[in-house]
mmCIF file of all heavy atoms in Angstrom:
data_model
loop_
_atom_site.group_PDB
_atom_site.id
_atom_site.type_symbol
_atom_site.label_atom_id
_atom_site.label_comp_id
_atom_site.label_asym_id
_atom_site.label_seq_id
_atom_site.Cartn_x
_atom_site.Cartn_y
_atom_site.Cartn_z
ATOM 1 N N ALA A 1 -98.715 -59.029 -29.951
ATOM 2 C CA ALA A 1 -98.649 -57.683 -29.374
ATOM 3 C C ALA A 1 -97.416 -56.932 -29.868
ATOM 4 O O ALA A 1 -97.489 -55.732 -30.158
ATOM 5 C CB ALA A 1 -98.658 -57.765 -27.854
ATOM 6 N N THR A 2 -96.284 -57.626 -29.989
ATOM 7 C CA THR A 2 -95.068 -56.996 -30.501
ATOM 8 C C THR A 2 -95.255 -56.572 -31.952
ATOM 9 O O THR A 2 -94.834 -55.478 -32.346
ATOM 10 C CB THR A 2 -93.876 -57.956 -30.377
ATOM 11 O OG1 THR A 2 -93.724 -58.330 -29.004
ATOM 12 C CG2 THR A 2 -92.598 -57.326 -30.867
ATOM 13 N N SER A 3 -95.910 -57.421 -32.737
ATOM 14 C CA SER A 3 -96.170 -57.069 -34.139
ATOM 15 C C SER A 3 -97.068 -55.850 -34.247
ATOM 16 O O SER A 3 -96.853 -54.977 -35.096
ATOM 17 C CB SER A 3 -96.824 -58.252 -34.863
ATOM 18 O OG SER A 3 -95.979 -59.365 -34.823
ATOM 19 N N MET A 4 -98.071 -55.778 -33.390
ATOM 20 C CA MET A 4 -98.966 -54.613 -33.401
ATOM 21 C C MET A 4 -98.200 -53.345 -33.038
ATOM 22 O O MET A 4 -98.396 -52.294 -33.668
ATOM 23 C CB MET A 4 -100.119 -54.847 -32.430
ATOM 24 C CG MET A 4 -101.078 -55.927 -32.870
ATOM 25 S SD MET A 4 -102.227 -56.459 -31.600
ATOM 26 C CE MET A 4 -103.156 -54.980 -31.307
ATOM 27 N N ALA A 5 -97.332 -53.418 -32.033
ATOM 28 C CA ALA A 5 -96.559 -52.247 -31.622
ATOM 29 C C ALA A 5 -95.578 -51.827 -32.715
ATOM 30 O O ALA A 5 -95.416 -50.628 -32.988
ATOM 31 C CB ALA A 5 -95.825 -52.538 -30.315
ATOM 32 N N LEU A 6 -94.925 -52.801 -33.336
ATOM 33 C CA LEU A 6 -93.991 -52.471 -34.416
ATOM 34 C C LEU A 6 -94.713 -51.854 -35.606
ATOM 35 O O LEU A 6 -94.197 -50.930 -36.239
ATOM 36 C CB LEU A 6 -93.228 -53.723 -34.851
ATOM 37 C CG LEU A 6 -92.117 -54.171 -33.913
ATOM 38 C CD1 LEU A 6 -91.535 -55.495 -34.377
ATOM 39 C CD2 LEU A 6 -91.033 -53.111 -33.822
ATOM 40 N N TYR A 7 -95.901 -52.346 -35.920
ATOM 41 C CA TYR A 7 -96.686 -51.759 -37.005
ATOM 42 C C TYR A 7 -97.013 -50.302 -36.696
ATOM 43 O O TYR A 7 -96.889 -49.426 -37.561
ATOM 44 C CB TYR A 7 -97.965 -52.564 -37.221
ATOM 45 C CG TYR A 7 -98.847 -51.992 -38.292
ATOM 46 C CD1 TYR A 7 -98.554 -52.197 -39.631
ATOM 47 C CD2 TYR A 7 -99.965 -51.236 -37.969
ATOM 48 C CE1 TYR A 7 -99.356 -51.665 -40.619
ATOM 49 C CE2 TYR A 7 -100.771 -50.701 -38.952
ATOM 50 C CZ TYR A 7 -100.456 -50.916 -40.277
ATOM 51 O OH TYR A 7 -101.242 -50.380 -41.255
ATOM 52 N N LEU A 8 -97.393 -50.042 -35.465
ATOM 53 C CA LEU A 8 -97.706 -48.670 -35.074
ATOM 54 C C LEU A 8 -96.480 -47.772 -35.209
ATOM 55 O O LEU A 8 -96.572 -46.668 -35.741
ATOM 56 C CB LEU A 8 -98.227 -48.655 -33.631
ATOM 57 C CG LEU A 8 -98.725 -47.335 -33.078
ATOM 58 C CD1 LEU A 8 -99.962 -46.889 -33.827
ATOM 59 C CD2 LEU A 8 -99.029 -47.479 -31.601
ATOM 60 N N PHE A 9 -95.337 -48.267 -34.770
ATOM 61 C CA PHE A 9 -94.127 -47.443 -34.783
ATOM 62 C C PHE A 9 -93.493 -47.339 -36.166
ATOM 63 O O PHE A 9 -93.006 -46.273 -36.555
ATOM 64 C CB PHE A 9 -93.102 -47.996 -33.788
ATOM 65 C CG PHE A 9 -91.859 -47.175 -33.691
ATOM 66 C CD1 PHE A 9 -91.903 -45.883 -33.182
ATOM 67 C CD2 PHE A 9 -90.651 -47.676 -34.107
ATOM 68 C CE1 PHE A 9 -90.752 -45.114 -33.093
ATOM 69 C CE2 PHE A 9 -89.496 -46.916 -34.019
ATOM 70 C CZ PHE A 9 -89.549 -45.633 -33.517
ATOM 71 N N LEU A 10 -93.483 -48.431 -36.924
ATOM 72 C CA LEU A 10 -92.763 -48.438 -38.199
ATOM 73 C C LEU A 10 -93.623 -48.082 -39.410
ATOM 74 O O LEU A 10 -93.084 -47.792 -40.477
ATOM 75 C CB LEU A 10 -92.125 -49.811 -38.426
ATOM 76 C CG LEU A 10 -91.060 -50.206 -37.404
ATOM 77 C CD1 LEU A 10 -90.572 -51.618 -37.675
ATOM 78 C CD2 LEU A 10 -89.906 -49.221 -37.417
ATOM 79 N N VAL A 11 -94.956 -48.098 -39.264
ATOM 80 C CA VAL A 11 -95.822 -47.782 -40.399
ATOM 81 C C VAL A 11 -96.692 -46.558 -40.120
ATOM 82 O O VAL A 11 -96.674 -45.589 -40.866
ATOM 83 C CB VAL A 11 -96.706 -49.003 -40.786
ATOM 84 C CG1 VAL A 11 -97.681 -48.643 -41.884
ATOM 85 C CG2 VAL A 11 -95.831 -50.167 -41.204
ATOM 86 N N VAL A 12 -97.452 -46.603 -39.045
ATOM 87 C CA VAL A 12 -98.417 -45.536 -38.779
ATOM 88 C C VAL A 12 -97.710 -44.220 -38.474
ATOM 89 O O VAL A 12 -98.092 -43.165 -38.998
ATOM 90 C CB VAL A 12 -99.382 -45.942 -37.641
ATOM 91 C CG1 VAL A 12 -100.286 -44.802 -37.255
ATOM 92 C CG2 VAL A 12 -100.189 -47.158 -38.053
ATOM 93 N N TRP A 13 -96.683 -44.240 -37.636
ATOM 94 C CA TRP A 13 -95.997 -42.996 -37.293
ATOM 95 C C TRP A 13 -95.337 -42.345 -38.507
ATOM 96 O O TRP A 13 -95.554 -41.146 -38.750
ATOM 97 C CB TRP A 13 -94.975 -43.214 -36.170
ATOM 98 C CG TRP A 13 -94.068 -42.054 -36.011
ATOM 99 C CD1 TRP A 13 -94.390 -40.815 -35.541
ATOM 100 C CD2 TRP A 13 -92.695 -41.990 -36.379
ATOM 101 N NE1 TRP A 13 -93.298 -39.988 -35.584
ATOM 102 C CE2 TRP A 13 -92.239 -40.692 -36.093
ATOM 103 C CE3 TRP A 13 -91.803 -42.904 -36.921
ATOM 104 C CZ2 TRP A 13 -90.931 -40.299 -36.330
ATOM 105 C CZ3 TRP A 13 -90.505 -42.511 -37.141
ATOM 106 C CH2 TRP A 13 -90.090 -41.212 -36.846
ATOM 107 N N PRO A 14 -94.541 -43.068 -39.322
ATOM 108 C CA PRO A 14 -93.952 -42.393 -40.484
ATOM 109 C C PRO A 14 -94.980 -41.874 -41.486
ATOM 110 O O PRO A 14 -94.797 -40.801 -42.061
ATOM 111 C CB PRO A 14 -93.074 -43.477 -41.128
ATOM 112 C CG PRO A 14 -92.791 -44.436 -40.052
ATOM 113 C CD PRO A 14 -94.001 -44.431 -39.181
ATOM 114 N N VAL A 15 -96.062 -42.613 -41.683
ATOM 115 C CA VAL A 15 -97.089 -42.140 -42.616
ATOM 116 C C VAL A 15 -97.752 -40.870 -42.091
ATOM 117 O O VAL A 15 -97.981 -39.922 -42.852
ATOM 118 C CB VAL A 15 -98.133 -43.259 -42.874
ATOM 119 C CG1 VAL A 15 -99.346 -42.716 -43.588
ATOM 120 C CG2 VAL A 15 -97.505 -44.383 -43.667
ATOM 121 N N SER A 16 -98.029 -40.832 -40.791
ATOM 122 C CA SER A 16 -98.649 -39.618 -40.248
ATOM 123 C C SER A 16 -97.687 -38.429 -40.333
ATOM 124 O O SER A 16 -98.117 -37.299 -40.584
ATOM 125 C CB SER A 16 -99.100 -39.843 -38.799
ATOM 126 O OG SER A 16 -97.991 -39.960 -37.941
ATOM 127 N N ASP A 17 -96.395 -38.668 -40.145
ATOM 128 C CA ASP A 17 -95.439 -37.570 -40.283
ATOM 129 C C ASP A 17 -95.268 -37.144 -41.741
ATOM 130 O O ASP A 17 -95.035 -35.970 -42.022
ATOM 131 C CB ASP A 17 -94.092 -37.945 -39.671
ATOM 132 C CG ASP A 17 -94.046 -37.642 -38.183
ATOM 133 O OD1 ASP A 17 -95.073 -37.170 -37.634
ATOM 134 O OD2 ASP A 17 -92.999 -37.858 -37.552
ATOM 135 N N CYS A 18 -95.371 -38.087 -42.678
ATOM 136 C CA CYS A 18 -95.340 -37.718 -44.102
ATOM 137 C C CYS A 18 -96.520 -36.821 -44.440
ATOM 138 O O CYS A 18 -96.371 -35.829 -45.163
ATOM 139 C CB CYS A 18 -95.365 -38.969 -44.977
ATOM 140 S SG CYS A 18 -93.785 -39.796 -45.118
ATOM 141 N N VAL A 19 -97.679 -37.171 -43.922
ATOM 142 C CA VAL A 19 -98.858 -36.344 -44.168
ATOM 143 C C VAL A 19 -98.653 -34.966 -43.559
ATOM 144 O O VAL A 19 -98.962 -33.944 -44.185
ATOM 145 C CB VAL A 19 -100.125 -37.034 -43.602
ATOM 146 C CG1 VAL A 19 -101.308 -36.088 -43.582
ATOM 147 C CG2 VAL A 19 -100.444 -38.272 -44.412
ATOM 148 N N ARG A 20 -98.119 -34.914 -42.335
ATOM 149 C CA ARG A 20 -97.837 -33.616 -41.702
ATOM 150 C C ARG A 20 -96.858 -32.790 -42.523
ATOM 151 O O ARG A 20 -97.006 -31.578 -42.672
ATOM 152 C CB ARG A 20 -97.232 -33.823 -40.311
ATOM 153 C CG ARG A 20 -98.190 -33.804 -39.191
ATOM 154 C CD ARG A 20 -97.415 -34.010 -37.899
ATOM 155 N NE ARG A 20 -96.981 -32.770 -37.330
ATOM 156 C CZ ARG A 20 -97.614 -32.139 -36.366
ATOM 157 N NH1 ARG A 20 -98.714 -32.635 -35.876
ATOM 158 N NH2 ARG A 20 -97.152 -31.018 -35.883
ATOM 159 N N TYR A 21 -95.836 -33.440 -43.038
ATOM 160 C CA TYR A 21 -94.793 -32.731 -43.773
ATOM 161 C C TYR A 21 -95.293 -32.241 -45.131
ATOM 162 O O TYR A 21 -95.079 -31.089 -45.509
ATOM 163 C CB TYR A 21 -93.573 -33.637 -43.958
ATOM 164 C CG TYR A 21 -92.431 -32.986 -44.672
ATOM 165 C CD1 TYR A 21 -91.648 -32.033 -44.023
ATOM 166 C CD2 TYR A 21 -92.138 -33.292 -45.993
ATOM 167 C CE1 TYR A 21 -90.598 -31.417 -44.679
ATOM 168 C CE2 TYR A 21 -91.101 -32.682 -46.649
ATOM 169 C CZ TYR A 21 -90.329 -31.744 -45.990
ATOM 170 O OH TYR A 21 -89.291 -31.134 -46.632
ATOM 171 N N PHE A 22 -95.968 -33.118 -45.893
ATOM 172 C CA PHE A 22 -96.362 -32.756 -47.244
ATOM 173 C C PHE A 22 -97.632 -31.923 -47.302
ATOM 174 O O PHE A 22 -97.752 -31.037 -48.150
ATOM 175 C CB PHE A 22 -96.502 -34.006 -48.114
ATOM 176 C CG PHE A 22 -95.174 -34.647 -48.424
ATOM 177 C CD1 PHE A 22 -94.880 -35.918 -47.972
ATOM 178 C CD2 PHE A 22 -94.216 -33.970 -49.149
ATOM 179 C CE1 PHE A 22 -93.665 -36.501 -48.248
ATOM 180 C CE2 PHE A 22 -92.984 -34.541 -49.422
ATOM 181 C CZ PHE A 22 -92.712 -35.820 -48.978
ATOM 182 N N TRP A 23 -98.603 -32.193 -46.457
ATOM 183 C CA TRP A 23 -99.852 -31.431 -46.504
ATOM 184 C C TRP A 23 -99.793 -30.156 -45.681
ATOM 185 O O TRP A 23 -100.263 -29.118 -46.110
ATOM 186 C CB TRP A 23 -101.023 -32.271 -46.020
ATOM 187 C CG TRP A 23 -101.584 -33.160 -47.085
ATOM 188 C CD1 TRP A 23 -101.095 -33.349 -48.348
ATOM 189 C CD2 TRP A 23 -102.738 -33.965 -46.979
ATOM 190 N NE1 TRP A 23 -101.861 -34.248 -49.025
ATOM 191 C CE2 TRP A 23 -102.885 -34.644 -48.213
ATOM 192 C CE3 TRP A 23 -103.650 -34.207 -45.980
ATOM 193 C CZ2 TRP A 23 -103.920 -35.524 -48.443
ATOM 194 C CZ3 TRP A 23 -104.681 -35.092 -46.226
ATOM 195 C CH2 TRP A 23 -104.805 -35.731 -47.439
ATOM 196 N N ALA A 24 -99.221 -30.239 -44.486
ATOM 197 C CA ALA A 24 -99.199 -29.061 -43.621
ATOM 198 C C ALA A 24 -97.900 -28.276 -43.744
ATOM 199 O O ALA A 24 -97.802 -27.167 -43.244
ATOM 200 C CB ALA A 24 -99.414 -29.481 -42.167
ATOM 201 N N GLY A 25 -96.896 -28.865 -44.366
ATOM 202 C CA GLY A 25 -95.620 -28.176 -44.512
ATOM 203 C C GLY A 25 -94.881 -28.000 -43.199
ATOM 204 O O GLY A 25 -94.132 -27.041 -43.029
#
């Protein structure tokens, strides 16, 4: 469960923000 939460916080969140930043500006 800790690994799943860390994956969500350390991988999914930054990637979604990168997409927001680069695609949506």
Side-chain angles (χ1 to χ4, degrees):
T2 302
S3 300
M4 291 168 64
L6 284 174
Y7 178 78
L8 185 66
F9 183 66
L10 297 176
V11 175
V12 174
W13 167 69
V15 168
S16 70
D17 274 2
C18 281
V19 168
R20 266 181 90 98
Y21 181 74
F22 289 116
W23 277 5

